[in-house]
Amino acid sequence: MIDKSPLVEMAKGPSPVGAARRATPTLSRPIKLRLTGVSKAFRSANGNTTLALQDINFEVREGEFVCILGPSGCGKTTLLNIIAGLDRAGCGDVLCNGRRVKGPGMDRIVMFQESVLFPWLTACKNIEIGLKSKGLSKAARTVKAMDFLRLVHLSKFANAHPHELSGGMRQRVALARSLAMEPEILLMDEPFTALDAQTRWILHYELQNIWEKTGKTVIFVTHNIREAVCLADRVIVLSSRPGRIKREYKIDLPRPRDDGSVEVAALSTEILAILRDEIEKVMREELDEGSCKECDVKCVGVTPDNSNPK
Amino acid sequence: MVPRKTTLPKKGLALNPGGAGPAKAHIKKPTPWKNYLVKFGFYAGIVGIWELVCLLGIWPPHILPSPVSVALTLYRGFEDKSLLVGIGVSMQRLVIGYSISVVLGVTIGLFLGRIKYLEHSLGSAVLGIQTLPSICWVPVATLWFGFGQVAIAFVVVIGSLFVIVISTQDGVKHIPPLLVKNARLLGIEGWRLYWEVILPGALPTIVTGMKLGWSFAWRSLMGGELLFAKLGLGHLLNQGRVANDTSLLFAVMVVIVAIGLMVDHLIFAVAERSIKRRWGLLVEEH
Ligand SMILES: Nc1ncnc2c1ncn2[C@@H]1O[C@H](COP(=O)(O)OP(=O)(O)OP(=O)(O)O)[C@@H](O)[C@H]1O
Ligand SMILES: [Mg+2]
């Protein structure tokens, strides 16, 4: 008898580990990730510097589900890349389990907005290639990969190549691969944005289920306020560029959350008001800079007075 | 309003952030029999006109041999094995030179594509040298290696190496960066990165380069054999010239074209297709 991966076992039945961890109050759990004074500037080819992130401080505790919200271009992807070790912070510290992050490591896995699968490998092999880095034997790799494909309901497509799968299926394979790596922190950069509403809803549900049962630490970047409110323990709202932490919301609503419920709607509206301020700031800057007539004409419909009935 | 991304899910290619990946190839379905008929008719017509011109006797046979005499020469060449030996010797030289060239070229290309310093130094040298027609290497080859097999192999390698290097490098450069980043996240590093990610990622382009390299190798070989080798198809050409045997020249040329076409259609076209299909780069036309 081949032993089943503990994660899949947990995901099947009621899980003692995840449940117990969830029962412990967040604040008494150990700190998994700590960012202190993280800033990041990009220098473009023409010599200008863009400040993408400025003085980001926050910490994430073990098993916490944190959503990062912010207007487009505020540095969410940059922040995730820095945490993953794919990019270096200009200044400040990123500590994971108390150790400074120096480069990518298998304890932090990123799920990108578009599924980044190796096109020449089948779905199953795409998962196995990561498991190989963890030193699993060939047989163990296959068993585990199949387990996780089953978890995202794709075991029938184990031998399909990525181009034979739909966008949602590819993203599910990517999710299965991320989970199979059993990272301590799962970093998700708008993973479901490119998908249609139904698929997104299903994946939300699956992600929540898996998260509740495994107690992984998740940092989830999104544009979608409702998505954030439905998923997160805590929502961090970033300001427009340069990205700074504008507000943090603790979300104590009981799970599973219905994205049509009154509480979710109320919180979403509150966060929307804050975000709207930020987006308007961006637009005002654009208006100030772009003095050409064309810009003025384009932006008439979205001037602050029109879009913000105070 | 809160902006929502409306990125459409891309069809087909799974890893094409911002269109950085290789372009999709539109390759036609196997040609229907009608097209083959047209092709056959065309070539039959050409041969017919050729025979007709010969029958009219405008040029003497030692200038323009008739298709029939070329066919006879071919037949005799295969019967007394002189053509077969020529083909065998040439193919052997080609396979040796070409294999060296592929192994060397792909290896150099992989590193050139990954290492900036190499690209600026060795890469620029490669770009410069590849403008040199391979036949220009023949004098140097004979001085360095004499008139033997080594000199021939050298000419074949030098003739096909650079195009393989450049295609491989190109293929490596066009691997979506996100794919390599993702590989690092999955703990794939060092030799594994080259072997399991960079090489397969660049493979569709590498195969195209190998196909080009093959035809370059073939040409260099003929040039080299024509100029200084014993045996081989190029040498037969030279014999035909010395003996004033035009139909032998034509017969050998037909063989050279036939082999070139066969390898291209039976080996490379098939390999390219199957790789592109597997990589999801193939869009079947209906
Ligand atoms: N490699 C880079 N070089 C120069 N500037 C960059 C680079 N990457 C990001 N930036 C700049 O940093 C800022 C933040 O980019 P980032 O991709 O992190 O935004 P984001 O919050 O993820 O946006 P979106 O929600 O649209 O994905 C942008 O203004 C962008 O112009
Ligand atoms: Mg982003």
Side-chain angles (χ1 to χ4, degrees):
Chain A
M1 186 62 203
I2 318 152
D3 58 338
K4 282 261 155 56
S5 130
L7 190 143
V8 176
E9 285 294 285
M10 275 187 271
K12 275 179 199 148
S15 134
V17 177
R21 198 174 287 165
R22 302 235 40 78
T24 343
T26 319
L27 279 176
S28 62
R29 283 183 243 150
I31 292 173
K32 199 87 204 159
L33 186 77
R34 168 178 270 154
L35 277 78
T36 39
V38 169
S39 300
K40 173 82 188 175
F42 286 107
R43 179 162 294 146
S44 59
N46 56 17
N48 296 341
T49 48
T50 318
L51 194 57
L53 290 171
Q54 195 179 38
D55 194 30
I56 302 285
N57 297 288
F58 67 89
E59 50 198 42
V60 178
R61 291 186 181 261
E62 195 179 300
E64 215 181 347
F65 198 126
V66 175
C67 273
I68 297 179
L69 262 177
S72 180
C74 74
K76 302 183 294 293
T77 300
T78 310
L79 183 62
L80 229 52
N81 279 341
I82 290 173
I83 297 173
L86 291 172
D87 215 336
R88 281 180 165 269
C91 51
D93 265 339
V94 181
L95 299 179
C96 178
N97 285 329
R99 265 169 290 133
R100 179 169 299 155
V101 168
K102 290 206 184 90
M106 281 184 280
D107 53 343
R108 288 153 284 131
I109 293 289
V110 186
M111 212 183 136
F112 297 99
Q113 178 165 358
E114 277 180 68
S115 53
V116 191
L117 300 175
F118 301 110
W120 56 89
L121 296 177
T122 61
C124 189
K125 290 271 186 306
N126 257 294
I127 301 176
E128 287 180 32
I129 194 173
L131 297 176
K132 198 171 167 188
S133 320
K134 306 199 85 175
L136 267 70
S137 75
K138 195 163 172 18
R141 290 203 293 268
T142 312
V143 170
K144 193 163 180 187
M146 284 308 294
D147 278 346
F148 278 89
L149 274 178
R150 214 164 295 130
L151 194 68
V152 295
H153 313 302
L154 279 177
S155 51
K156 282 207 190 91
F157 292 88
N159 292 319
H161 283 88
H163 67 94
E164 297 164 312
L165 301 172
S166 74
M169 288 156 101
R170 287 203 289 265
Q171 205 58 318
R172 262 143 70 194
V173 175
L175 178 63
R177 180 173 64 187
S178 308
L179 292 170
M181 293 300 288
E182 294 179 344
E184 291 174 26
I185 305 177
L186 189 54
L187 303 162
M188 307 180 90
D189 189 1
E190 307 185 41
F192 308 141
T193 316
L195 307 178
D196 61 285
Q198 293 95 308
T199 315
R200 187 158 67 213
W201 190 82
I202 293 168
L203 286 178
H204 276 175
Y205 180 77
E206 285 178 3
L207 176 65
Q208 286 237 40
N209 245 347
I210 293 164
W211 170 73
E212 281 191 17
K213 280 160 186 165
T214 59
K216 290 252 175 288
T217 312
V218 181
I219 301 181
F220 190 102
V221 162
T222 176
H223 270 124
N224 190 322
I225 300 175
R226 260 170 207 262
E227 187 173 50
V229 173
C230 281
L231 291 172
D233 286 330
R234 189 149 56 101
V235 175
I236 296 178
V237 181
L238 293 185
S239 68
S240 62
R241 200 180 60 217
R244 274 164 305 205
I245 294 184
K246 173 111 178 169
R247 276 287 278 280
E248 279 191 41
Y249 289 88
K250 242 187 118 41
I251 303 191
D252 284 327
L253 303 176
R255 292 165 196 273
R257 297 171 189 157
D258 175 10
D259 78 339
S261 76
V262 186
E263 294 93 336
V264 170
L267 253 172
S268 302
T269 319
E270 193 182 332
I271 298 175
L272 175 64
I274 300 248
L275 260 180
R276 189 182 272 159
D277 282 349
E278 285 305 316
I279 291 160
E280 276 162 10
K281 215 192 287 169
V282 177
M283 290 198 304
R284 231 172 286 132
E285 275 172 24
E286 296 272 302
L287 276 178
D288 288 344
E289 283 170 19
S291 51
C292 65
K293 284 214 178 82
E294 217 177 306
C295 298
D296 289 343
V297 174
K298 266 189 197 155
C299 298
V300 162
V302 285
T303 46
D305 301 329
N306 275 350
S307 62
N308 199 2
K310 264 183 194 156
Chain B
M1 268 308 293
V2 179
R4 267 197 38 210
K5 277 211 173 161
T6 50
T7 325
L8 290 170
K10 284 197 183 93
K11 246 182 112 186
L13 194 57
L15 55 97
N16 205 348
K24 287 186 184 184
H26 286 261
I27 293 182
K28 281 192 190 131
K29 278 186 142 186
T31 3
W33 62 274
K34 245 185 187 170
N35 292 5
Y36 282 120
L37 210 66
V38 171
K39 234 182 209 170
F40 180 77
F42 173 75
Y43 288 111
I46 294 251
V47 173
I49 292 170
W50 178 8
E51 182 66 47
L52 216 66
V53 170
C54 292
L55 283 179
L56 287 176
I58 304 173
W59 293 287
H62 70 268
I63 298 291
L64 186 70
S66 74
V68 175
S69 75
V70 172
L72 273 176
T73 313
L74 268 176
Y75 177 75
R76 261 184 276 120
F78 280 111
E79 205 182 34
D80 68 9
K81 304 229 165 52
S82 64
L83 262 179
L84 280 182
V85 169
I87 293 173
V89 168
S90 288
M91 287 311 265
Q92 193 193 356
R93 288 172 177 157
L94 190 68
V95 167
I96 292 173
Y98 180 68
S99 312
I100 297 175
S101 183
V102 167
V103 172
L104 218 63
V106 170
T107 314
I108 297 175
L110 285 181
F111 288 115
L112 278 187
R114 291 289 298 167
I115 302 168
K116 270 260 147 54
Y117 295 113
L118 272 184
E119 191 194 342
H120 291 311
S121 52
L122 189 59
S124 63
V126 166
L127 275 179
I129 297 172
Q130 63 98 27
T131 60
L132 205 60
S134 61
I135 205 84
C136 299
W137 287 93
V138 169
V140 180
T142 53
L143 275 183
W144 285 351
F145 305 108
F147 289 87
Q149 303 293 351
V150 185
I152 290 272
F154 176 78
V155 172
V156 172
V157 170
I158 217 96
S160 54
L161 178 68
F162 300 116
V163 67
I164 298 178
V165 170
I166 290 168
S167 319
T168 306
Q169 181 188 4
D170 200 50
V172 172
K173 298 229 109 172
H174 280 96
I175 298 174
L178 212 51
L179 204 66
V180 180
K181 272 189 188 174
N182 203 61
R184 288 172 64 205
L185 287 173
L186 295 174
I188 305 169
E189 263 159 0
W191 291 110
R192 268 192 79 206
L193 186 68
Y194 278 93
W195 188 247
E196 291 179 36
V197 177
I198 308 287
L199 184 65
L203 201 58
T205 325
I206 292 178
V207 171
T208 311
M210 280 170 64
K211 185 171 147 185
L212 277 174
W214 172 267
S215 68
F216 278 39
W218 190 226
R219 284 165 216 200
S220 320
L221 177 71
M222 288 307 123
E225 285 187 343
L226 193 59
L227 285 181
F228 69 89
K230 298 193 185 67
L231 299 174
L233 288 173
H235 178 66
L236 276 180
L237 275 180
N238 210 13
Q239 266 185 352
R241 182 183 65 84
V242 172
N244 229 352
D245 185 352
T246 326
S247 51
L248 177 61
L249 292 183
F250 273 70
V252 174
M253 279 154 69
V254 166
V255 169
I256 293 174
V257 170
I259 292 178
L261 276 180
M262 241 151 60
V263 171
D264 208 90
H265 275 60
L266 294 184
I267 300 180
F268 285 106
V270 172
E272 210 174 1
R273 258 185 96 80
S274 78
I275 285 176
K276 288 209 165 132
R277 174 172 302 125
R278 190 137 169 229
W279 266 235
L281 297 170
L282 201 67
V283 180
E284 296 278 357
E285 278 178 11
H286 295 284

